[in-house]
Amino acid sequence: MPHQTAYEARYVGRDLSYTPGQDGAALYAAAFSRAYTAQQAHPYAFPQRLFDCGLYILFTLGAMLRADELTPQRVYTLFRAQHNGFYGKKRPY
């Protein structure tokens, strides 16, 4: 049974959070919106956005591992959402 508490952290001035028990669409939406918002705000700040996406992926993978939710499908959803958001491609889940 997954934990019901959210994992939150603050690294390098960035607030990160992960809520266990989300379905795939909710996980995609959360990860996508984070990367897409950064892409819209700073379209040419590639290193900064890449660092932010990488930090978010590492934190989320760690939170998934602690919540016992680390599966290939969830990892793929996380990476796909970050990729689409990073490049500003609005694709459905």
Side-chain angles (χ1 to χ4, degrees):
M1 176 97 175
H3 301 113
Q4 296 303 318
T5 59
Y7 294 97
E8 296 178 351
R10 185 167 176 82
Y11 295 114
V12 196
R14 288 147 177 91
D15 292 321
L16 305 169
S17 66
Y18 175 75
T19 306
Q22 295 176 331
D23 65 343
L27 173 63
Y28 182 90
F32 174 82
S33 66
R34 180 178 180 84
Y36 185 75
T37 302
Q39 193 275 337
Q40 293 298 303
H42 307 288
Y44 298 106
F46 295 110
Q48 177 188 354
R49 288 189 1 241
L50 190 60
F51 176 76
D52 286 344
C53 286
L55 186 64
Y56 182 75
I57 286 171
L58 289 175
F59 168 78
T60 304
L61 289 174
M64 282 184 199
L65 186 61
R66 286 186 301 240
D68 226 9
E69 294 182 347
L70 192 61
T71 64
Q73 180 64 35
R74 292 182 74 76
V75 172
Y76 174 77
T77 300
L78 173 64
F79 276 83
R80 181 162 175 85
Q82 287 289 288
H83 174 269
N84 290 344
F86 183 86
Y87 288 107
K89 298 180 180 188
K90 287 189 172 181
R91 295 182 177 155
Y93 165 72

